[in-house]
Amino acid sequence: QVQLVESGGGSVQAGGSLRLSCAASGYIYNSRCMGWFRQAPGKEREEVASIYIGTGSTYYPDSVKGRFTISKDNAKNTAALQMNSLKPEDTAMYYCAAARTVVVGRPFGCGFDYWGQGTQVTVSS
C-alpha cells in the first residue's frame, strides 16, 4: 500500500508562486511515475505534471508548460510541484499521485493508482 500526503497549498495573488510537496510512504519502489493533478469545482480532473521515475523525463500540458515544474527526491520519497506565474484559472484542489499500472496512450504509459487527499490552491486576481 502507498500513502501520499500533500502539503504547501494556500492562497496567493495572480503572478505569485507556490510550492506543493508530496510525501510518499509504503511500498513505492515499483512506482513508474509520480504526478500532480488538479480538479476545480464542476470541472474534470486534469493532469498538470508527471515525472517518469526511471529517467526523470517530465510531462506538462500546454496550460501549465513553462510555469510549473515537477521534481522528485528518490532518497526522501518526496515529490514537489513548483508553480510560478499563477493565474486565477489555476485555482483547484491539487492531488499527488503515484503510478504502477501501464496504460497505453498516457504520458510515459503511466496509469495512476494511488492518490493523496489533496491540497487547495486559490489564486486571486
Side-chain angles (χ1 to χ4, degrees), residues 16-93:
S17 299
L18 282 174
R19 183 177 178 86
L20 306 183
S21 295
C22 175
S25 60
Y27 192 66
I28 68 167
Y29 302 105
N30 286 341
S31 294
R32 296 169 51 84
C33 291
M34 296 291 292
W36 289 91
F37 291 72
R38 68 185 180 190
Q39 188 166 21
K43 295 188 176 181
E44 292 187 354
R45 186 175 61 195
E46 176 189 16
E47 182 174 9
V48 296
S50 58
I51 186 166
Y52 185 62
I53 291 176
T55 63
S57 299
T58 56
Y59 161 80
Y60 306 95
D62 289 343
S63 57
V64 306
K65 194 174 294 183
R67 301 188 298 121
F68 289 13
T69 303
I70 188 172
S71 60
K72 62 178 177 64
D73 186 328
N74 292 340
K76 296 182 179 180
N77 290 340
T78 59
L81 184 68
Q82 178 66 42
M83 304 185 295
N84 299 327
S85 302
L86 282 162
K87 304 175 181 180
E89 51 264 43
D90 294 320
T91 295
M93 186 71 78

Side-chain angles (χ1 to χ4, degrees), residues 1-2 4 14 22-23 26-28 40 56 82 97 99 103 113:
Q1 190 68 15
V2 174
L4 303 170
C22 175
Y27 192 66
I28 68 167
Q82 178 66 42
V103 177
D113 309 282

